[in-house]
Amino acid sequence: MAPKPRVSVVWYKCTELRMHDHIPLQQAHLQPYPVVHLFVFDPFWFRPLPLTRLPKTGPIRAQFLCESVADLRGSLRERGHDLVVRHCKTTDAFRELLETFEIHAVFAYSEVCSQEIKIERDVAAVLRSAH
């Protein structure tokens, strides 16, 4: 079996769908590996919050998110890249990438809220299990 290509991943999250002043993006492109740009429409963002039972992302925010993802994809394409968009749990998106690539590193802004931090930890566990 041929070795999988090694890549760096820029993991875009809901609050950072831009290219200018995106430090993780800049750091990823300093690496000697091709860069996979990833955004995941994780069901987590569309479920009701435990305390209020209100959706974490309402219809107006969801529309803004879709438009922002489309804009980011266009900006990346103008620069010769593309945005991989998945509609699944974030851990499943990383598992899918690991089927094709060896992930050298993931570049993303760190989260501050407990639920989002749990997703980051779950992704880290998926990546550790690949080695």
Side-chain angles (χ1 to χ4, degrees), residues 74-86:
S75 295
L76 286 166
R77 285 180 175 167
E78 288 174 3
R79 291 162 179 80
H81 300 280
D82 202 357
L83 181 64
V84 175
V85 178
R86 293 294 177 260

Side-chain angles (χ1 to χ4, degrees), residues 19-64:
M19 291 184 62
H20 72 284
D21 79 346
H22 195 289
I23 294 169
L25 169 66
Q26 296 166 5
Q27 291 172 332
H29 281 279
L30 292 174
Q31 302 302 307
Y33 306 107
V35 177
V36 174
H37 300 267
L38 175 67
F39 179 79
V40 183
F41 282 99
D42 191 312
F44 161 78
W45 290 101
F46 302 94
R47 288 194 303 253
L49 294 165
L51 186 61
T52 64
R53 293 297 185 216
L54 296 171
K56 188 167 184 69
T57 303
I60 294 171
R61 175 81 175 143
Q63 179 64 34
F64 176 76

